[in-house]
Amino acid sequence: MTGPWIDVSVPLRNGMSGWPGDKPFERTLTHTIAGGASNNLSQFASSAHVGTHMDAPLHFLADAPSVDSMPIDAVVGPARVVGIADADSICPEHLEPLALQRGERVLFRTRNSDRRLLEHEFARDFVAISPEGARYLAERGVRTVGVDYLSVGAFREESGRETHRVLLGAGVWIVEGLNLADVEPGNYEMICLPLRLAGSDGAPARAVLRRI
Ligand SMILES: [Zn+2]
C-alpha cells in the first residue's frame, strides 16, 4: 500500500524569497495572446539555487562533479523523513538514535517546516545541519540529504561552508528547499529530479514523496 503523491517542491514565482544576494527568480511574458500574439510565452532568470533545488559537489569544490552528472538513483527510491523537533541545529546527538544505513536517503523535517519559512521573507535563524552533524552523516555513508530550508548549512558563513564541504566532499547529494510542512516523519518513496543544467553547480528540482 502506498499513499498519494505529495508535491514537496516550492512553486517558483516572482517575489518568492531566496538567498540574500543571489539573483531572485523572475518570470516575464514576452508574448501574450491578450496582446495579439499567437501564444503566451515566458522567459525566466534566476539563481540556480532557487526554491527546491539540488547542490552538486561543484557548488563548494573546484573541479568536482556538476549537477548533470548526478546518478538518478541518488534521488529516486526509498527516503526516510526524520522529524527533528526543537533543535537549533542538527547534531550527532539527533542522528545517533536513527541507526542510519549506508546508502540511505534522509530528509530532515525541522521547525523550519512548522514555521513555514519557505513561504516568508528570508530568515537567518533557520535550522541547519552543524558541521559535526555533516561529518556524522558522511561517516555513515548516507547517499542523499534533504532539508526544509534553503541551505543544509547555517547562515553563518564559516559553518555553512563547512557543512556543505563535508557532505559534498563525501559524495552526498544535497536537496534544499523541500516543503515538508504537510509531511509526517516516516518512510516514503521519493522522486526528485533537478533540471539537467550542463556544468552547473546546482539546479531547481521537482520533488514528490509518497508514503510506503
Ligand atoms: Zn544550494
Side-chain angles (χ1 to χ4, degrees), residues 48-50 53-56 59-60 150-152 164 174 176 201-202:
H49 296 255
V50 71
H53 70 276
M54 291 198 63
D55 286 2
H59 189 32
F60 275 82
L150 295 171
S151 173
V152 275
H164 274 94
I174 295 174
E176 297 171 328
D201 44 87

Side-chain angles (χ1 to χ4, degrees), residues 162-184:
E162 181 69 3
T163 292
H164 274 94
R165 279 190 182 157
V166 168
L167 291 174
L168 296 172
V172 179
W173 287 87
I174 295 174
V175 191
E176 297 171 328
L178 289 168
N179 172 19
L180 300 178
D182 300 317
V183 175
E184 287 174 19

Side-chain angles (χ1 to χ4, degrees), residues 26-70:
E26 187 182 11
R27 182 178 67 87
T28 50
L29 279 158
T30 56
H31 298 68
T32 64
I33 295 169
S38 65
N39 54 47
N40 293 314
L41 186 66
S42 292
Q43 64 178 18
F44 67 89
S46 173
S47 159
H49 296 255
V50 71
T52 308
H53 70 276
M54 291 198 63
D55 286 2
L58 183 62
H59 189 32
F60 275 82
L61 305 164
D63 306 321
S66 50
V67 73
D68 50 315
S69 69
M70 181 195 71

